Amino acid sequence: MSRTASRLDRKMDLLKMQEKEGLLKSKEGSRAVGKFIQNKLALIGLVVFAVILLSSIFAPLLTKYDPAMIDLRARLSPPSWEHLFGTDKLGRDVFARVLYGGRISILVGFGGALGAALVGVSLGTYAGYKGGWLDKILLRVSEIFMAFPQIILVLLLVSLLGQSLWNLLVIFTITGWGSVYRMARSQMLSIREEEYVQALKAFGLSDAIIAYKHMLPNALGPIMVNLTLSTAMFILEETALSFLGLGVPLHIPTWGNILNAAQDLTILQEAWWIWVPVGLVISAFVLSINFVGDGLRDSADPTQQG
Amino acid sequence: MDTILTVDNLHINFYTNNRCNEAVRGVSFQLKKGRTLCLVGESGCGKSVTASSIMRLLPPLSRIEEGEIIYHTDQGDLRLHELDPNGPEIRSIRGAEIAMIFQDPMTALNPVYTVGFQIREAFMYHTKMAAAAMKEKAVELLRSMRIPAPEQRVNEYIHQYSGGMRQRAMIAMAMACNPQILIADEPTTALDVTVQAQIFDLMNDLQREHNAAILLITHDMGVVAELAHDVVVMYMGDAVENGPVEEILTKPAHPYTSALLRSIPVLGQSKSQKLEPIRGSTPDPYNRPKGCQFRPRCDFATEKCLQDPETFDVSADHTVKCWHWEKVLANA
Amino acid sequence: MHREKEVLLKIRNAQTYFPVQKGLLKRTVGHVRAVDNVSLDVYRGETLGLVGESGCGKTTLGKSILQLVRPTGGEFIYNFDGQEKDLRKLSNEEMMQARKRLQIVFQDPHSSLNPAFTIFGSLQDPLKKFGIKSKEERKQIIGDLLEAVNLRREYMHRYPHEFSGGQRQRIGIARALSLGPELIICDEAVSALDVSIQAQVLNLLLELKEKHKLTYIFISHDLSVVEYMSDRIAVMYLGKIVELAQAEDLFANAMHPYSQALLSAIPVAEVGRKRNRIVLEGNVPSPVDPPPGCAFHPRCPYAMEMCKTTVPELRKHIIDGREHHVACHLTDARAVTTQKTS
Ligand SMILES: Nc1ncnc2c1ncn2[C@@H]1O[C@H](COP(=O)(O)OP(=O)(O)OP(=O)(O)O)[C@@H](O)[C@H]1O
Ligand SMILES: Nc1ncnc2c1ncn2[C@@H]1O[C@H](COP(=O)(O)OP(=O)(O)OP(=O)(O)O)[C@@H](O)[C@H]1O
Ligand code: SF4
Ligand code: SF4
Ligand SMILES: [Mg+2]
Ligand SMILES: [Mg+2]
């Protein structure tokens, strides 16, 4: 205790001296950015996130294999220099499949989150600003959608339209917009009382301009955080649905489809390299997004002094 | 008159955001039994920081750099600035002998306990009272604050109170143990003048009956004229002028004080008066002017003011920190 | 004032009620009578002060005039260059034109400007809406406005957080001026400012009034500020106007018991002037369920039997040849020449 106190004192003495000599300048640039950078977990998250994202995008540069290329001579071979993560039952290179699979999985995660955000924000912004019956109705509807069992919706769509990437995006949008809606709406409810909004009203500006142009930018911070967190959630859901064979068609590599192979008991027991690396990548990616999201939230929150 | 608290050459720095802000830079005053001292000055000049340093309730990234805060008790002097801010001595003083009314009632009251419980807790910690008596006393206190239906209100939570009632509940708690020193940080800014008047009456009662010393922070010169015996005027962390209320309000010796008085409308003079705003604006605390802090806005400023002004005696208990105070007085 | 006074805004029996909702189903269990039967004339070129306790309905009355909250009843007849029209009954197109003439300056310098936009960004949309299409022209106008409130033109490209409270308040005033209004409602326009800055803004408001021939409704709880600014002052209590007089007359000779108590409670910045404070017993009653009769009767030191049952009307009394409106049975009983305010 006394040691930490004296360390704090020394830090204070240093600052006092520097200030006296006029060395310290008020920092240009945003305080939020500074705080984000100081948050180590968020920074690590950002790095991991970037590494995984970039390696997926530039997959062809990192591996010479085609993820769909079947090589029956090299079935189920364990990791080696030739095949970093080994090969699967059909002799496809698992490393390449993880890289290329990332493309689809991340796309589905982001796409779903974006779709949900688009619907949720555009409805929530207007309804939150206008209030009244429109808001009441949408609030109930959003509750219904949020309470609706997702798996039934999935089964319904899959049986109607067959498996596809687009199905997943539609499903994620349908099930996800509710929470974004509620969040955007509650943001708008508090911004609505700000005096600058009253002033715009006193000029008789149209509702859409007030809501979307003037109010929405002030609500974007929390919405962005929500976007990152729901991306992580949707990636996990894609994995889960693909694992059950309800997501993206099996021949397209996605993280979920790679894991799907582990349904086979012999693979689970004997070919660990097929599912352990991809599991780790998924965990790392989801965690990193969560850290980034938390970091964003903290740095955007002015009540978190520091 | 007995001095009960001496603050001498107090310096407090803040070290937030990796900068050093000299929030208080050499404040001295004495609190006397049965008298009210008003601390006035514009927002951010260090009034609240000074007040909370007496209770040793400064926020974490701040430090008392220099100076003394001495509490004169019957058992001898207590050097408050040397106490551990979390230690038992200061805790036994807080609330019982020195009580504080905070600027923002929501930070001082706990939302998860009833108001009555929080008042009783103060009794429990500082007095030996029977449970029934404590309950009665709590109701009595709320009644004296003119909170309607106190028997029922005492069992309610703070969110069920209106803004004005919250403030009064906090004042009730501060007065619960009849403190020797009451520090009131803008206690009535959120209240209507009619309620404000009631609360000042109560503070007067406390002073009369228990000979308490009151440190009142305000920026309302009307309140100062009405309640204060002594006044300390602060500007950018400095106590620029210190003296009895009559002298400060009628014969200000510091250019800031006199400019301040000329910039507020006085009731009863209607539209005939001419307001003279103080020119310029308050400097950035991280980019302070050299020498006298008021120099960029001062009509009397000269070369000499580039040095920190010394403290001069205007009269027996009236001091001022200005090189040219005699000119200011002559000019009035 | 002997000039023929022109009425700019005639308010008759204005009512603004807010529903009070309770329970899961949000049933309406009552109404907050924020503004309750207010009748008032505002003359062109005057400053009308509006004072009263917190929650008595001052802001709501101001917003009702601007139709920012929908009044429940009554008439707000505005004089459009000789043509009198009820603001509540205007078509959308007419309302848009009316908005040019009516503006408001708000209390809180921190929430009155949009933090996400520069000053130019915030101020340009109203101009655009009212037909100023070229960006250069808008820049010109906003620059002129900023100069009118003693700020530099270049400030239009800065964000609100770069300004001090007093500067923001001046930007708020510039915004209110942007369409050339006739009537500006100043809702606690200086209350949040430091005393030393307050004077700057007050003087600016007076200057602009001269220059642009403005009419102000000046809302504040600081009576010395209201006295400094106003020609006439209206005192509100629980949604009603209880007294209305020339500023000098009100301060010299307040007639309503509430105004008397209010005036006596103000601390005066003058040493040794100990006042006979009238201490009001009891709490402010709730506007949801105001006391019957005179709403002030539970706290009034002079309350009589009839005060508990009969609502006193705002009546015009002529005192020394000057109008003085009071809503109190006591004054009615004393006065010789009374006349109900139409
Ligand atoms: N918790 C804090 N963290 C960092 N700086 C602080 C903190 N509290 C106060 N300060 C700084 O200390 C200085 C004095 O602040 P203080 O709160 O004492 O002003 P004040 O005179 O009470 O103003 P007001 O009238 O607005 O209450 C200011 O420059 C302020 O920025
Ligand atoms: N949007 C609203 N919904 C419900 N009640 C409201 C609303 N706005 C105001 N009220 C109520 O109407 C009454 C009058 O409020 P108003 O804001 O007009 O008071 P005020 O005189 O401006 O007070 P202050 O001096 O505190 O600003 C209060 O009881 C308030 O609670
Ligand atoms: S020391 Fe100089 S600058 Fe400071 S207040 Fe006095 S005259 Fe003005
Ligand atoms: S009407 Fe009666 S109760 Fe109301 S203010 Fe007059 S005397 Fe008092
Ligand atoms: Mg303070
Ligand atoms: Mg108001």
Side-chain angles (χ1 to χ4, degrees):
Chain A
M1 176 67 217
S2 72
R3 241 194 72 215
T4 55
S6 69
R7 218 173 69 206
L8 193 63
D9 275 339
R10 277 204 298 280
K11 175 100 192 280
M12 286 179 175
D13 287 337
L14 182 73
L15 280 174
K16 187 159 100 180
M17 212 182 66
Q18 290 176 331
E19 188 79 50
K20 277 239 168 65
E21 287 163 12
L23 288 176
L24 299 177
K25 295 268 168 309
S26 60
K27 272 176 240 120
E28 289 295 315
S30 153
R31 192 191 59 90
V33 173
K35 269 189 71 180
F36 186 89
I37 289 172
Q38 279 183 3
N39 184 341
K40 291 211 179 62
L41 226 45
L43 210 60
I44 294 173
L46 193 65
V47 169
V48 172
F49 170 81
V51 166
I52 297 179
L53 182 69
L54 290 177
S55 19
S56 292
I57 293 174
F58 297 110
L61 302 179
L62 296 176
T63 175
K64 56 180 195 279
Y65 293 103
D66 177 343
M69 191 188 70
I70 298 173
D71 178 3
L72 289 175
R73 280 166 305 153
R75 290 175 55 209
L76 286 178
S77 55
S80 62
W81 278 118
E82 195 63 14
H83 299 283
L84 271 183
F85 289 176
T87 59
D88 66 3
K89 247 181 350 191
L90 298 174
R92 295 175 295 197
D93 181 63
V94 177
F95 184 62
R97 283 179 68 77
V98 171
L99 287 184
Y100 283 93
R103 289 180 166 188
I104 305 292
S105 288
I106 296 172
L107 181 77
V108 168
F110 264 132
L114 218 56
L118 226 55
V119 175
V121 167
S122 42
L123 290 177
T125 303
Y126 195 73
Y129 169 63
K130 281 299 274 186
W133 58 267
L134 178 71
D135 180 44
K136 274 190 193 132
I137 291 174
L138 281 174
L139 198 62
R140 292 288 161 267
V141 174
S142 75
E143 271 163 12
I144 293 171
F145 273 96
M146 281 164 75
F148 201 80
Q150 198 174 14
I151 195 79
I152 294 182
L153 206 66
V154 175
L155 286 172
L156 202 74
L157 273 176
V158 169
S159 61
L160 281 179
L161 306 167
Q163 270 180 303
S164 87
L165 194 109
W166 299 110
N167 272 352
L168 275 189
L169 288 183
V170 170
I171 289 164
F172 289 160
T173 305
I174 289 177
T175 53
W177 72 272
S179 72
V180 187
Y181 169 82
R182 297 169 75 90
M183 163 147 191
R185 167 186 178 272
S186 71
Q187 287 288 319
M188 295 308 270
L189 282 184
S190 68
I191 295 175
R192 192 169 75 175
E193 302 304 323
E194 301 266 320
E195 286 173 349
Y196 65 84
V197 178
Q198 302 280 325
L200 291 169
K201 272 198 210 165
F203 283 116
L205 291 189
S206 75
D207 292 335
I209 288 189
I210 296 181
Y212 291 113
K213 180 170 176 193
H214 288 265
M215 292 168 72
L216 183 57
N218 292 299
L220 275 185
I223 292 173
M224 292 306 285
V225 174
N226 189 290
L227 194 70
T228 58
L229 297 182
S230 51
T231 301
M233 191 178 79
F234 289 146
I235 287 178
L236 285 181
E237 279 182 16
E238 181 274 329
T239 314
L241 290 177
S242 298
F243 181 77
L244 296 176
L246 295 170
V248 180
L250 270 177
H251 61 89
I252 301 175
T254 74
W255 289 342
N257 279 342
I258 300 171
L259 269 185
N260 187 297
Q263 276 185 346
D264 187 334
L265 205 63
T266 51
I267 288 185
L268 193 66
Q269 283 170 344
E270 281 155 27
W272 58 268
W273 59 86
I274 295 182
W275 52 273
V276 169
V278 73
L280 289 178
V281 169
I282 294 172
S283 309
F285 193 70
V286 168
L287 264 180
S288 74
I289 293 183
N290 276 308
F291 287 157
V292 171
D294 285 345
L296 279 180
R297 176 165 49 210
D298 290 350
S299 64
D301 183 358
T303 59
Q304 301 252 329
Q305 283 293 327
Chain B
M1 255 167 300
D2 307 338
T3 301
I4 188 156
L5 186 88
T6 306
V7 173
D8 187 32
N9 195 27
L10 185 68
H11 283 77
I12 298 168
N13 289 4
F14 272 86
Y15 295 95
T16 44
N17 295 324
N18 279 319
R19 294 293 304 266
C20 167
N21 173 11
E22 299 176 46
V24 175
R25 358 182 310 146
V27 169
S28 309
F29 57 81
Q30 296 187 329
L31 275 184
K32 305 207 173 84
K33 278 191 186 154
R35 283 172 75 93
T36 302
L37 179 98
C38 274
L39 211 52
V40 299
E42 55 197 35
S43 182
C45 69
K47 306 183 296 287
S48 299
V49 172
T50 306
S52 44
S53 73
I54 297 172
M55 296 280 278
R56 299 304 309 277
L57 287 174
L58 286 174
L61 287 177
S62 59
R63 187 171 64 166
I64 297 179
E65 301 289 324
E66 232 188 289
E68 301 184 322
I69 305 170
I70 299 171
Y71 174 40
H72 309 282
T73 66
D74 299 337
Q75 289 84 37
D77 288 358
L78 251 176
R79 300 168 68 78
L80 293 183
H81 60 282
E82 285 171 359
L83 297 182
D84 174 5
N86 300 314
E89 292 113 316
I90 191 77
R91 279 222 303 262
S92 70
I93 292 172
R94 261 183 223 152
E97 290 167 59
I98 308 181
M100 181 152 174
I101 302 169
F102 292 88
Q103 205 165 355
D104 175 10
M106 284 313 266
T107 60
L109 293 167
N110 194 331
V112 300
Y113 296 115
T114 64
V115 171
F117 180 85
Q118 293 183 61
I119 297 178
R120 287 201 298 274
E121 210 179 20
F123 292 138
M124 238 178 311
Y125 193 73
H126 296 297
T127 63
K128 294 194 184 69
M129 222 187 266
M134 283 197 290
K135 215 168 237 169
E136 217 162 278
K137 187 85 197 291
V139 174
E140 198 46 51
L141 266 170
L142 290 186
R143 196 193 316 278
S144 71
M145 290 294 143
R146 301 218 164 77
I147 288 179
E151 296 84 359
Q152 174 201 335
R153 288 286 182 179
V154 78
N155 294 322
E156 286 184 1
Y157 295 88
I158 202 68
H159 69 89
Q160 290 164 292
Y161 279 42
S162 78
M165 270 157 48
R166 278 175 201 164
Q167 195 82 30
R168 281 180 275 169
M170 188 168 61
I171 297 172
M173 274 174 65
M175 295 199 182
C177 298
N178 296 324
Q180 296 284 302
I181 301 176
L182 179 68
I183 302 173
D185 191 354
E186 314 212 7
T188 55
T189 1
L191 302 181
D192 286 305
V193 278
T194 51
V195 182
Q196 169 177 307
Q198 296 170 4
I199 287 180
F200 288 155
D201 279 350
L202 288 165
M203 285 169 52
N204 270 334
D205 290 347
L206 179 82
Q207 190 156 58
R208 254 203 326 274
E209 286 162 26
H210 302 279
N211 206 21
I214 296 180
L215 175 65
L216 178 67
I217 298 178
T218 175
H219 48 236
D220 185 339
M221 285 310 207
V223 172
V224 173
E226 185 157 326
L227 292 181
H229 299 101
D230 305 291
V231 180
V232 173
V233 183
M234 287 185 71
Y235 185 75
M236 291 297 287
D238 283 325
V240 294
E241 191 165 7
N242 185 346
V245 64
E246 308 82 35
E247 290 201 25
I248 301 273
L249 291 191
T250 54
K251 287 189 293 176
H254 196 281
Y256 174 65
T257 318
S258 92
L260 191 65
L261 291 174
R262 271 179 282 129
S263 75
I264 50 174
V266 175
L267 199 69
Q269 309 219 339
S270 74
K271 310 186 76 170
S272 58
Q273 61 190 313
K274 198 166 165 336
L275 293 192
E276 297 172 38
I278 306 178
R279 66 189 157 87
S281 58
T282 332
D284 173 10
Y286 292 112
N287 189 11
R288 290 171 182 268
K290 198 167 161 326
C292 176
Q293 300 291 297
F294 192 55
R295 186 172 49 82
R297 309 172 74 183
C298 179
D299 293 330
F300 296 87
T302 60
E303 273 300 293
K304 183 148 201 200
C305 306
L306 284 169
Q307 294 164 34
D308 282 337
E310 287 165 17
T311 305
F312 298 94
D313 288 326
V314 178
S315 63
D317 38 51
H318 182 176
T319 59
V320 61
K321 263 190 206 166
C322 169
W323 291 117
H324 302 298
W325 63 275
E326 282 166 311
K327 249 194 261 166
V328 180
L329 268 185
N331 225 310
Chain C
M1 245 192 269
H2 290 288
R3 265 182 301 121
E4 193 53 36
K5 287 183 292 186
E6 183 193 357
V7 178
L8 183 65
L9 175 68
K10 213 186 309 179
I11 303 175
R12 289 295 173 267
N13 303 320
Q15 295 173 328
T16 305
Y17 295 173
F18 296 108
V20 180
Q21 293 171 329
K22 263 229 171 88
L24 275 177
L25 294 173
K26 297 272 158 64
R27 253 177 333 115
T28 302
V29 292
H31 286 93
V32 178
R33 303 187 182 182
V35 174
D36 198 10
N37 273 325
V38 165
S39 296
L40 190 66
D41 287 340
V42 181
Y43 300 113
R44 192 184 286 277
E46 77 166 343
T47 300
L48 175 72
L50 198 55
V51 300
E53 280 177 300
S54 173
C56 70
K58 306 182 291 290
T59 301
T60 309
L61 179 57
K63 287 190 178 166
S64 305
I65 294 172
L66 286 180
Q67 312 291 309
L68 284 179
V69 295
R70 279 261 152 219
T72 320
E75 296 175 343
F76 296 78
I77 297 164
Y78 193 84
N79 183 344
F80 290 91
D81 306 320
Q83 249 189 320
E84 295 196 334
K85 282 186 196 155
D86 188 345
L87 293 173
R88 289 181 66 212
K89 300 196 182 112
L90 296 184
S91 67
N92 281 345
E93 175 55 28
E94 285 174 319
M95 193 62 219
M96 207 177 101
Q97 290 310 317
R99 295 226 176 267
K100 273 179 155 175
R101 301 171 184 246
L102 296 161
Q103 270 307 317
I104 182 161
V105 177
F106 291 99
Q107 165 172 17
D108 183 3
H110 296 285
S111 88
S112 65
L113 294 171
N114 191 340
F117 287 89
T118 61
I119 304 308
F120 177 74
S122 284
L123 265 59
Q124 68 158 340
D125 272 355
L127 294 176
K128 224 191 275 180
K129 170 159 177 132
F130 286 94
I132 293 152
K133 293 277 179 275
S134 99
K135 187 167 177 188
E136 279 318 304
E137 218 174 313
R138 289 199 298 269
K139 266 196 185 142
Q140 182 64 33
I141 292 175
I142 291 172
D144 292 346
L145 285 169
L146 289 179
E147 276 177 0
V149 295
N150 304 329
L151 293 171
R152 302 163 67 95
R153 302 187 88 84
E154 304 86 82
Y155 285 0
M156 75 172 89
H157 300 299
R158 294 198 184 171
Y159 285 89
H161 71 89
E162 298 174 66
F163 294 101
S164 72
Q167 286 174 322
R168 287 183 212 208
Q169 208 60 337
R170 279 186 267 166
I171 295 168
I173 294 170
R175 173 176 60 198
L177 289 174
S178 61
L179 298 175
E182 294 173 327
L183 173 66
I184 297 185
I185 296 171
C186 303
D187 187 3
E188 311 266 7
V190 296
S191 311
L193 300 179
D194 243 342
V195 274
S196 68
I197 303 159
Q198 193 172 307
Q200 295 174 0
V201 176
L202 287 179
N203 283 350
L204 174 71
L205 283 172
L206 287 178
E207 233 171 76
L208 292 172
K209 183 183 163 189
E210 279 301 300
K211 201 147 110 204
H212 299 279
K213 308 254 172 315
L214 300 173
T215 307
Y216 288 146
I217 295 182
F218 193 88
I219 302 175
S220 177
H221 60 255
D222 184 338
L223 278 128
S224 22
V225 170
V226 171
E227 189 198 20
Y228 179 69
M229 295 294 292
S230 311
D231 302 306
R232 288 191 308 151
I233 296 178
V235 183
M236 274 184 90
Y237 186 79
L238 222 60
K240 288 190 161 65
I241 289 186
V242 295
E243 186 159 2
L244 171 65
Q246 296 289 324
E248 317 75 279
D249 295 345
L250 183 80
F251 280 96
N253 178 24
M255 292 170 71
H256 194 279
Y258 173 68
S259 319
Q260 291 169 354
L262 187 70
L263 291 178
S264 83
I266 314 161
V268 183
E270 205 174 309
V271 194
R273 200 168 113 183
K274 289 285 170 221
R275 297 155 301 104
N276 287 325
R277 197 189 289 140
I278 305 167
V279 174
L280 289 179
E281 295 295 332
N283 222 294
V284 190
S286 140
V288 179
D289 163 34
C294 172
F296 188 54
H297 85 253
R299 305 169 77 193
C300 177
Y302 311 108
M304 307 170 287
E305 234 4 85
M306 78 180 297
C307 303
K308 293 178 189 161
T309 50
T310 321
V311 181
E313 278 175 275
L314 189 65
R315 285 179 197 281
K316 179 156 82 181
H317 303 255
I318 306 291
I319 293 165
D320 295 338
R322 298 210 286 199
E323 290 182 11
H324 199 129
H325 304 252
V326 189
C328 170
H329 293 311
L330 194 69
T331 341
D332 286 354
R334 281 191 195 144
V336 211
T337 47
T338 72
Q339 183 188 337
K340 189 184 164 220
T341 305
S342 54

